[in-house]
Amino acid sequence: MKQLELNVYLAGEIHTDWRKQIINKSEDMGLNIVFTSPVTDHEASDLCGIRILGEEEKPFWRDRKGADINAIRRLKMIKDAELVVVKFGDEYKQWNAAFDAGYASALNKSLIILHDEKYDHALKEVDAAANATARTPEQVVEILKYVLL
Amino acid sequence: MKQLELNVYLAGEIHTDWRKQIINKSEDMGLNIVFTSPVTDHEASDLCGIRILGEEEKPFWRDRKGADINAIRRLKMIKDAELVVVKFGDEYKQWNAAFDAGYASALNKSLIILHDEKYDHALKEVDAAANATARTPEQVVEILKYVLL
Amino acid sequence: MKQLELNVYLAGEIHTDWRKQIINKSEDMGLNIVFTSPVTDHEASDLCGIRILGEEEKPFWRDRKGADINAIRRLKMIKDAELVVVKFGDEYKQWNAAFDAGYASALNKSLIILHDEKYDHALKEVDAAANATARTPEQVVEILKYVLL
Amino acid sequence: MKQLELNVYLAGEIHTDWRKQIINKSEDMGLNIVFTSPVTDHEASDLCGIRILGEEEKPFWRDRKGADINAIRRLKMIKDAELVVVKFGDEYKQWNAAFDAGYASALNKSLIILHDEKYDHALKEVDAAANATARTPEQVVEILKYVLL
Amino acid sequence: MKQLELNVYLAGEIHTDWRKQIINKSEDMGLNIVFTSPVTDHEASDLCGIRILGEEEKPFWRDRKGADINAIRRLKMIKDAELVVVKFGDEYKQWNAAFDAGYASALNKSLIILHDEKYDHALKEVDAAANATARTPEQVVEILKYVLL
Amino acid sequence: MKQLELNVYLAGEIHTDWRKQIINKSEDMGLNIVFTSPVTDHEASDLCGIRILGEEEKPFWRDRKGADINAIRRLKMIKDAELVVVKFGDEYKQWNAAFDAGYASALNKSLIILHDEKYDHALKEVDAAANATARTPEQVVEILKYVLL
Amino acid sequence: MKQLELNVYLAGEIHTDWRKQIINKSEDMGLNIVFTSPVTDHEASDLCGIRILGEEEKPFWRDRKGADINAIRRLKMIKDAELVVVKFGDEYKQWNAAFDAGYASALNKSLIILHDEKYDHALKEVDAAANATARTPEQVVEILKYVLL
Amino acid sequence: MKQLELNVYLAGEIHTDWRKQIINKSEDMGLNIVFTSPVTDHEASDLCGIRILGEEEKPFWRDRKGADINAIRRLKMIKDAELVVVKFGDEYKQWNAAFDAGYASALNKSLIILHDEKYDHALKEVDAAANATARTPEQVVEILKYVLL
């Protein structure tokens, strides 16, 4: 049988190296996965709108220009993915991560939510829409490995 | 012409009376709107799962049972709605609010996001997917009134 | 606010009075629900095809004629429903009940599965696709009551 | 003309070698088919949840963790498939097989149901949703060969 | 339980009174059905385009103008219907009837095909996509009655 | 048979009384139609954004705020409609009218385009996606009357 | 720019060599097209059901078994295609050709209908749903060549 | 990680070399993009219908024949694209460009609208449905480069 391939979008937190861990371990195991991610350079992501399309005085519209451009990439990747992994960390509000989880869920994508136990109650609706709540990148990789058995 | 009717789901924060304000003002104006809301009694919402289906030792599964039952109501209401208003307040993580916004967005629902300016940057992806960012319930009602002109 | 209405399809086992229990209790509570069901007269359901369209020698085609006519009703009801309750009992193979659960799940309907604990392992995939696993008709009614709060 | 390719998901019974028979015969005939299957190692499939994400005391949640992870693979494969073959055998309740048939049917996949005549009446709704009821793996391969003529 | 309602589109042959028979008998039985039909006045249907939008020299464009206007009605009715009955008679090519059957089938509508046995082989693909092949309007009404039990 | 009802959205030009003509004549004929329209008060439409949500210095964002609010109404109406009539007149660029036609077409709505012959070549792609090209409001009403025969 | 590729399903008449003409001419021109077709061996197509799955006494069920298997191939090909060419000739009722045209139309496939002028009136609804009415295979090839410019 | 690929349809104005600029700059940067375009030879596009399918006396039907054939290419390309760039220039009515933008928007494609500031007010509804309003081909390329980071 032809080897199964999986398309996985890694959404959410951009300030730790969890994506690299998942990608590296998956490659070490030879898993046949296409990984995609948002632009994880915080400044590049925040400023892409005004850098390309021109400055805005109001922060609100600066953010809008950037968010709209990032959406081209984000929504393409979610649509292409069969599985979306969403990581919730300790910093920031991370509403964009939860938004992506909701978006992916409505499109019937499989979901793995990655977070510490302390957020279990706050993430109960998000976890309930998911196939797994993982605590570590290793667990995510173990799931990927099993799914591609 | 037959009077236009709108179905509006009021998602998000459940600890202030913003829903009541929007509903009351809309009724005062005679707007033809069907409003729906999640169960806003925090305890009833948290405990519905174990109260009906039996206790769980682990908080994780207590939450799961409740979240799964609440999803019956929540997703029905989002699917029925043409417009979803999502309020972000000061307390809690509110990831369920952002999840609902993402879910509604993927279903092509119109969105109004209601929040203070201080959350503008944190909510930029959510606002970018919306038709309006309102600061007060009054502004939401003004939009509803205009839409139903 | 206008009273919420729910459309609920009661699928599965046709040899006990679980439907009547749910419908009666819901009516006693004044719940605003449209209940639908397959034809629960076993003989009428099995024979509808040949009674209307003419006898068949082979049992296989007798069954086909009936199943195809029943599908008109069944699929209309599943499509119209927002919530599908599927009961698994002790008799028969009940593959049609599981088929209906899968069909409803793929259409993103909310699901409640009603069965004894002894079938937990056998129904694990079906339960995992559902919003609740109930053990009694009373629990189903309690969920309906909560959802319509 | 470019050679036609078919994506076929082999669902259902995991305790006989029917999958191997279909795959081997198809390869012998040079048919251009991508076959996919659930994880057919019964123990691996049952235990994947707790092995990766940690033990559960209650069998119900042990099963849930496993079923949710298996669903990532199962639903990806059903969505990718153009034709789903579902085998019903003699052991177990096989409600997951019927669930998969219903799920695939709602997504408009072509279906072949493989089972003995003794289950004809019990499977009449499932057979009625299918393109063919086959009795042997050989017949399935003959259909595949014809479809790829 | 609230009485079930069905929306039925009566497609195909317009030169016998089969529609009237089905509608009258259904009304006599008190069946709760909304019936819709194409415009069955042959001349009105053929000429609507040029009568409203102006004459055309070429018969091809005369037909186009009419067919395009009729499609507004036809496609609305098929989309609104849950069940489409398609009658094939003895006159004309009736390709529009077969087109409507294919269109309805792709939209997952239930189908009843009404025709004499002599057309069984010619209509085998159409019948195979349908829930029933009826020979008389009475049989169609019997099916409707059963479905609305 | 129950009287057919039609939902018609009247898009495009807002500076002549073509909508009133169509609505009045339809009412005179007793046609069973729900008509909807964008807000046709040019100033109210242009300024709704800044009036409700606060002034903007840049005209670009003033327009954005208004267009986003108008989209709530416009897209609801297009989605609710079964038939969209789009009028192209002599003033302004009318790109929003053509956008609405494209949007409606992708949602498989029936379309009537209303315009003078002088725009035939410029509107050839739009007309080709439509069921009729009408020259006068009277012709539109004649089509509506025929469709509701 | 990367060379455009087109997937074209050749439906309808199977008793003349129109498919070969289109395919050969397209290959001579180096057009980048994947052509698919139903099984065009009349006997193989009619008998596939009983040859593989066993004889039936009644012609109706013989035809059903064959039509159901052919549908696996036909519907896969229509779903994969971006353009469906449907040829109507002089023999047989060709209701399956019209059914395929309706099915493809409901799935928003582009359509070319190939037939003599004498069938213009009978095919007016089918032609109205199509992008072109061609009279010869050469015209079909010219359209394909233009589309792939 | 595998290099991201993007499918981009370049719609709208055909009388300046903006497409060539975007394609050349993208190639210089090594961006992994499949670009598609309508037939940009004005005469070939206008006359394709009558050249292939035969002359028409009325300009209206000449245009129809051509527009219908062009739609095969245009709609295929929009459906295949993940991002649609629509350029509005100074000549012609450009209603087809706005139609394509509306069509793409309803299919949830990402959109970049390319135009001078003088059209900001006239294009406000179109811009509001887009991810970016660019003023130069360079800005479009910068967005493409960022999206493919």
Side-chain angles (χ1 to χ4, degrees):
Chain A
M1 279 200 287
K2 208 172 129 182
Q3 204 197 345
L4 199 63
E5 190 188 79
L6 208 62
N7 186 310
V8 179
Y9 179 59
L10 303 169
E13 198 219 34
I14 60 171
H15 297 94
T16 63
D17 70 343
W18 68 277
R19 283 184 184 80
K20 196 147 64 168
Q21 287 184 52
I22 289 176
I23 294 168
N24 288 350
K25 278 181 223 296
S26 297
E27 281 176 0
D28 291 351
M29 288 177 176
L31 302 182
N32 193 15
I33 301 178
V34 175
F35 287 107
T36 58
S37 305
V39 170
T40 54
D41 175 334
H42 196 151
E43 192 187 275
S45 172
D46 272 9
L47 301 183
C48 67
I50 54 168
R51 280 179 179 165
I52 299 174
L53 298 172
E55 187 54 86
E56 289 292 330
E57 277 178 48
K58 292 196 181 177
F60 185 82
W61 297 120
R62 289 170 56 122
D63 282 341
R64 173 61 52 87
K65 277 179 158 176
D68 276 345
I69 288 179
N70 279 302
I72 300 175
R73 177 180 174 113
R74 222 175 77 231
L75 301 190
K76 168 191 162 52
M77 286 171 165
I78 295 179
K79 283 175 196 161
D80 285 352
E82 293 149 321
L83 172 64
V84 176
V85 182
V86 190
K87 167 82 160 69
F88 289 85
D90 291 327
E91 289 181 280
Y92 303 102
K93 292 288 188 180
Q94 303 179 290
W95 286 321
N96 58 329
F99 182 92
D100 280 358
Y103 197 95
S105 179
L107 298 183
N108 282 319
K109 305 299 180 182
S110 290
L111 278 175
I112 299 174
I113 313 300
L114 177 57
H115 62 86
D116 284 350
E117 285 193 27
K118 65 183 163 193
Y119 298 129
D120 276 5
H121 188 64
L123 281 167
K124 64 181 186 297
E125 288 88 0
V126 180
D127 284 346
N131 294 74
T133 300
R135 306 306 185 183
T136 65
E138 284 76 14
Q139 288 181 325
V140 175
V141 176
E142 284 303 312
I143 294 173
L144 296 175
K145 181 182 154 198
Y146 174 81
V147 168
L148 290 167
L149 263 193
Chain B
M1 278 200 288
K2 209 171 130 181
Q3 203 198 346
L4 199 62
E5 191 189 79
L6 208 62
N7 186 310
V8 179
Y9 180 59
L10 303 170
E13 199 220 29
I14 61 171
H15 297 93
T16 64
D17 70 344
W18 68 279
R19 282 185 184 80
K20 195 147 66 168
Q21 287 185 52
I22 289 176
I23 294 168
N24 288 351
K25 279 181 222 293
S26 297
E27 280 176 0
D28 291 351
M29 287 177 176
L31 302 182
N32 193 15
I33 301 177
V34 176
F35 286 107
T36 58
S37 305
V39 171
T40 55
D41 175 335
H42 196 152
E43 193 189 274
S45 172
D46 272 9
L47 302 183
C48 67
I50 54 167
R51 280 180 178 164
I52 298 174
L53 298 173
E55 187 55 86
E56 289 293 330
E57 278 179 48
K58 292 196 181 176
F60 184 82
W61 297 120
R62 289 171 55 122
D63 283 341
R64 172 62 50 88
K65 277 179 158 177
D68 276 346
I69 289 179
N70 278 303
I72 301 175
R73 176 181 174 111
R74 220 175 78 231
L75 300 190
K76 169 193 160 52
M77 286 172 165
I78 294 179
K79 283 175 196 162
D80 285 351
E82 293 149 321
L83 172 64
V84 176
V85 182
V86 190
K87 167 82 161 69
F88 290 85
D90 291 327
E91 289 180 282
Y92 302 103
K93 291 289 189 181
Q94 304 178 291
W95 286 320
N96 59 329
F99 182 92
D100 280 358
Y103 196 95
S105 179
L107 299 182
N108 282 319
K109 305 298 178 182
S110 290
L111 279 174
I112 299 174
I113 312 300
L114 177 57
H115 62 85
D116 284 350
E117 285 193 27
K118 65 184 163 192
Y119 298 128
D120 276 5
H121 188 62
L123 281 167
K124 64 182 187 296
E125 288 88 0
V126 181
D127 284 345
N131 295 74
T133 300
R135 306 305 185 185
T136 66
E138 284 76 13
Q139 288 181 325
V140 175
V141 176
E142 285 302 313
I143 294 173
L144 297 175
K145 183 182 153 197
Y146 174 81
V147 168
L148 290 167
L149 264 193
Chain C
M1 278 200 286
K2 205 170 132 183
Q3 203 198 345
L4 199 62
E5 190 189 79
L6 208 61
N7 186 310
V8 179
Y9 179 60
L10 303 169
E13 198 220 30
I14 61 171
H15 297 93
T16 64
D17 70 343
W18 68 278
R19 283 186 182 80
K20 196 148 64 167
Q21 288 185 53
I22 289 175
I23 294 169
N24 288 351
K25 279 181 223 293
S26 297
E27 280 176 1
D28 291 350
M29 287 176 176
L31 301 182
N32 193 16
I33 301 178
V34 175
F35 286 107
T36 58
S37 304
V39 170
T40 55
D41 176 333
H42 197 152
E43 194 188 273
S45 172
D46 271 8
L47 302 184
C48 68
I50 53 167
R51 281 180 178 165
I52 299 174
L53 298 173
E55 187 55 84
E56 290 292 330
E57 279 178 48
K58 292 197 181 176
F60 185 82
W61 297 120
R62 289 170 56 121
D63 283 340
R64 172 62 50 88
K65 277 179 159 178
D68 276 346
I69 289 178
N70 279 302
I72 300 175
R73 177 181 174 112
R74 223 176 76 230
L75 301 190
K76 169 193 161 51
M77 286 171 165
I78 294 180
K79 283 175 196 161
D80 285 351
E82 294 149 322
L83 172 63
V84 176
V85 183
V86 190
K87 167 83 161 70
F88 289 85
D90 291 327
E91 289 180 280
Y92 303 101
K93 291 288 188 181
Q94 304 179 290
W95 286 321
N96 59 330
F99 181 92
D100 280 358
Y103 196 95
S105 178
L107 299 183
N108 282 318
K109 306 297 178 181
S110 290
L111 279 175
I112 299 174
I113 312 300
L114 177 58
H115 62 85
D116 284 350
E117 285 193 25
K118 65 184 162 193
Y119 299 128
D120 277 6
H121 189 65
L123 282 167
K124 64 183 189 295
E125 288 87 0
V126 180
D127 285 345
N131 295 75
T133 300
R135 306 305 186 185
T136 66
E138 285 75 14
Q139 287 181 325
V140 175
V141 176
E142 284 303 311
I143 294 172
L144 297 175
K145 183 182 153 198
Y146 174 81
V147 167
L148 290 166
L149 263 193
Chain D
M1 279 200 287
K2 208 172 130 182
Q3 203 198 346
L4 199 62
E5 190 190 80
L6 208 61
N7 185 310
V8 178
Y9 179 60
L10 302 169
E13 198 220 32
I14 60 172
H15 297 93
T16 63
D17 70 343
W18 67 278
R19 282 184 184 80
K20 195 148 63 168
Q21 288 184 52
I22 289 176
I23 295 168
N24 288 351
K25 279 181 223 296
S26 298
E27 281 176 0
D28 291 350
M29 288 177 176
L31 302 183
N32 194 14
I33 300 178
V34 176
F35 287 107
T36 59
S37 305
V39 171
T40 55
D41 174 335
H42 196 152
E43 192 188 275
S45 172
D46 271 8
L47 301 184
C48 67
I50 54 168
R51 279 179 178 166
I52 298 174
L53 298 173
E55 186 55 84
E56 290 292 330
E57 277 178 47
K58 292 196 181 177
F60 185 82
W61 297 120
R62 288 171 57 122
D63 282 341
R64 172 63 49 88
K65 277 179 158 176
D68 277 345
I69 288 178
N70 279 302
I72 300 175
R73 177 180 173 112
R74 223 175 77 232
L75 301 190
K76 168 193 162 50
M77 286 171 166
I78 295 179
K79 283 175 195 161
D80 286 352
E82 294 149 322
L83 172 64
V84 176
V85 182
V86 190
K87 167 83 161 70
F88 289 85
D90 291 326
E91 289 181 280
Y92 302 102
K93 291 289 188 181
Q94 303 179 290
W95 286 322
N96 59 330
F99 182 92
D100 281 358
Y103 196 95
S105 179
L107 299 183
N108 282 319
K109 305 298 179 182
S110 289
L111 279 174
I112 298 174
I113 313 300
L114 176 57
H115 63 85
D116 284 350
E117 285 193 27
K118 65 184 163 192
Y119 298 130
D120 276 6
H121 189 63
L123 281 167
K124 64 181 187 297
E125 289 87 1
V126 180
D127 285 345
N131 295 75
T133 299
R135 306 307 185 183
T136 65
E138 284 75 15
Q139 288 181 325
V140 175
V141 176
E142 284 303 311
I143 294 173
L144 296 175
K145 182 182 153 198
Y146 174 81
V147 167
L148 290 166
L149 264 193
Chain E
M1 277 199 287
K2 208 171 131 181
Q3 203 198 346
L4 199 62
E5 189 189 80
L6 208 62
N7 186 311
V8 178
Y9 179 59
L10 303 170
E13 199 221 30
I14 61 171
H15 297 93
T16 64
D17 70 343
W18 68 278
R19 284 185 182 80
K20 196 149 63 168
Q21 288 184 53
I22 289 176
I23 295 168
N24 287 351
K25 278 180 222 293
S26 297
E27 280 175 2
D28 290 350
M29 287 177 176
L31 302 182
N32 193 15
I33 301 178
V34 176
F35 286 107
T36 58
S37 305
V39 171
T40 55
D41 175 335
H42 197 152
E43 192 188 276
S45 172
D46 272 8
L47 302 183
C48 67
I50 53 167
R51 280 181 178 163
I52 299 174
L53 298 172
E55 188 54 84
E56 290 292 329
E57 277 178 49
K58 293 196 181 176
F60 185 81
W61 297 119
R62 287 171 57 121
D63 282 340
R64 172 62 50 88
K65 277 179 157 178
D68 277 345
I69 289 179
N70 279 303
I72 300 175
R73 177 181 174 112
R74 223 176 76 232
L75 300 190
K76 168 193 162 50
M77 286 172 166
I78 295 180
K79 284 176 196 160
D80 285 352
E82 294 148 322
L83 172 63
V84 176
V85 182
V86 190
K87 168 81 161 69
F88 290 84
D90 291 328
E91 290 181 279
Y92 302 102
K93 292 289 189 181
Q94 304 178 291
W95 287 320
N96 58 329
F99 182 93
D100 281 358
Y103 196 95
S105 179
L107 299 183
N108 282 319
K109 306 297 179 182
S110 290
L111 278 175
I112 300 174
I113 313 300
L114 177 57
H115 62 85
D116 283 350
E117 285 194 25
K118 65 184 162 192
Y119 299 128
D120 277 5
H121 188 63
L123 282 167
K124 63 182 189 296
E125 288 87 0
V126 180
D127 284 345
N131 295 75
T133 300
R135 305 307 185 183
T136 66
E138 284 75 15
Q139 288 181 326
V140 175
V141 176
E142 285 303 311
I143 294 173
L144 296 176
K145 184 181 152 198
Y146 175 81
V147 168
L148 291 166
L149 265 192
Chain F
M1 276 200 288
K2 209 171 129 181
Q3 203 199 345
L4 199 63
E5 190 190 81
L6 208 62
N7 186 311
V8 179
Y9 179 59
L10 302 169
E13 198 220 29
I14 61 171
H15 297 93
T16 63
D17 70 343
W18 68 279
R19 283 185 184 80
K20 196 149 63 168
Q21 288 184 52
I22 289 177
I23 294 169
N24 288 351
K25 278 181 222 294
S26 297
E27 280 175 2
D28 290 351
M29 287 178 178
L31 302 182
N32 193 16
I33 301 178
V34 176
F35 286 107
T36 58
S37 305
V39 171
T40 55
D41 175 335
H42 197 151
E43 193 188 274
S45 172
D46 271 8
L47 301 184
C48 67
I50 54 168
R51 280 180 178 165
I52 299 174
L53 298 173
E55 187 55 84
E56 289 293 329
E57 278 178 47
K58 292 195 181 178
F60 185 81
W61 297 119
R62 288 171 55 121
D63 282 340
R64 173 61 51 88
K65 277 179 158 178
D68 276 346
I69 289 179
N70 278 303
I72 300 175
R73 176 181 174 112
R74 222 175 77 231
L75 300 190
K76 169 193 162 49
M77 286 171 167
I78 294 180
K79 283 175 196 161
D80 286 351
E82 293 149 323
L83 172 63
V84 176
V85 182
V86 190
K87 167 81 160 72
F88 289 85
D90 291 328
E91 290 180 281
Y92 302 103
K93 291 288 188 181
Q94 304 178 291
W95 286 320
N96 58 329
F99 182 93
D100 280 358
Y103 196 95
S105 179
L107 299 183
N108 282 318
K109 305 298 179 181
S110 289
L111 279 174
I112 299 174
I113 313 299
L114 178 57
H115 62 85
D116 284 350
E117 285 193 26
K118 66 183 163 193
Y119 299 129
D120 276 6
H121 189 64
L123 281 167
K124 64 182 187 296
E125 288 87 0
V126 180
D127 285 345
N131 295 74
T133 299
R135 306 305 186 185
T136 66
E138 284 75 15
Q139 288 182 325
V140 175
V141 176
E142 284 302 312
I143 294 173
L144 297 174
K145 184 182 153 198
Y146 174 81
V147 167
L148 290 167
L149 263 193
Chain G
M1 278 199 287
K2 208 173 130 180
Q3 202 198 347
L4 198 62
E5 189 190 80
L6 207 62
N7 185 311
V8 179
Y9 179 59
L10 303 170
E13 198 220 31
I14 61 172
H15 297 92
T16 63
D17 70 343
W18 67 278
R19 283 185 183 80
K20 194 147 66 167
Q21 288 185 51
I22 290 176
I23 294 169
N24 287 351
K25 278 181 223 297
S26 297
E27 280 175 2
D28 291 351
M29 287 178 176
L31 301 183
N32 194 15
I33 301 178
V34 176
F35 287 107
T36 59
S37 306
V39 171
T40 55
D41 175 336
H42 197 152
E43 192 187 275
S45 172
D46 271 8
L47 301 183
C48 67
I50 53 168
R51 280 180 177 164
I52 299 174
L53 298 172
E55 186 55 84
E56 290 292 329
E57 277 178 48
K58 293 196 180 177
F60 185 82
W61 297 120
R62 288 170 57 119
D63 282 340
R64 172 63 49 89
K65 277 179 158 176
D68 277 345
I69 289 178
N70 279 303
I72 300 175
R73 177 180 174 114
R74 222 175 77 231
L75 301 190
K76 168 192 162 52
M77 285 172 166
I78 295 180
K79 284 176 195 160
D80 286 351
E82 294 150 321
L83 172 64
V84 176
V85 182
V86 190
K87 167 81 160 70
F88 289 85
D90 291 328
E91 289 180 281
Y92 302 104
K93 291 290 188 180
Q94 303 179 291
W95 286 321
N96 59 330
F99 182 92
D100 280 359
Y103 197 95
S105 178
L107 299 183
N108 281 319
K109 305 298 179 181
S110 289
L111 279 174
I112 299 174
I113 313 299
L114 177 57
H115 63 85
D116 284 351
E117 284 193 27
K118 65 183 163 193
Y119 298 129
D120 277 5
H121 189 63
L123 281 167
K124 64 182 188 296
E125 288 87 1
V126 180
D127 285 345
N131 295 75
T133 300
R135 306 305 185 185
T136 65
E138 284 75 14
Q139 288 181 324
V140 175
V141 176
E142 285 302 312
I143 294 173
L144 296 175
K145 182 181 154 198
Y146 174 81
V147 167
L148 290 167
L149 264 192
Chain H
M1 278 199 287
K2 207 171 130 182
Q3 203 197 347
L4 198 61
E5 189 189 79
L6 208 62
N7 186 310
V8 179
Y9 179 60
L10 303 169
E13 199 219 33
I14 60 171
H15 298 94
T16 64
D17 70 342
W18 68 277
R19 282 184 184 80
K20 195 148 65 167
Q21 288 185 51
I22 289 176
I23 294 169
N24 287 351
K25 279 181 223 295
S26 297
E27 280 176 1
D28 291 350
M29 286 177 176
L31 302 183
N32 193 15
I33 301 178
V34 176
F35 287 106
T36 58
S37 305
V39 171
T40 54
D41 175 335
H42 197 151
E43 193 188 273
S45 172
D46 271 8
L47 301 184
C48 68
I50 53 167
R51 280 179 179 165
I52 299 174
L53 298 173
E55 186 55 84
E56 289 293 329
E57 277 178 47
K58 291 197 181 176
F60 185 82
W61 297 120
R62 287 170 57 121
D63 282 341
R64 173 62 49 89
K65 277 179 158 177
D68 276 345
I69 289 179
N70 279 303
I72 300 175
R73 177 179 174 113
R74 221 176 78 231
L75 300 190
K76 169 192 161 51
M77 285 170 165
I78 294 180
K79 284 176 195 160
D80 286 351
E82 295 149 321
L83 172 64
V84 176
V85 182
V86 190
K87 167 83 160 69
F88 289 85
D90 291 327
E91 289 180 283
Y92 301 103
K93 291 289 188 181
Q94 303 179 290
W95 286 322
N96 60 328
F99 182 92
D100 280 358
Y103 196 95
S105 179
L107 298 183
N108 282 318
K109 306 298 179 181
S110 290
L111 279 174
I112 299 174
I113 312 300
L114 177 58
H115 62 85
D116 284 350
E117 286 193 27
K118 65 183 164 193
Y119 298 129
D120 277 5
H121 188 63
L123 282 167
K124 64 182 187 297
E125 289 86 0
V126 180
D127 284 345
N131 294 75
T133 300
R135 307 306 186 184
T136 65
E138 284 76 14
Q139 287 181 326
V140 175
V141 176
E142 284 303 312
I143 294 173
L144 296 175
K145 182 181 154 197
Y146 174 81
V147 168
L148 290 167
L149 264 193

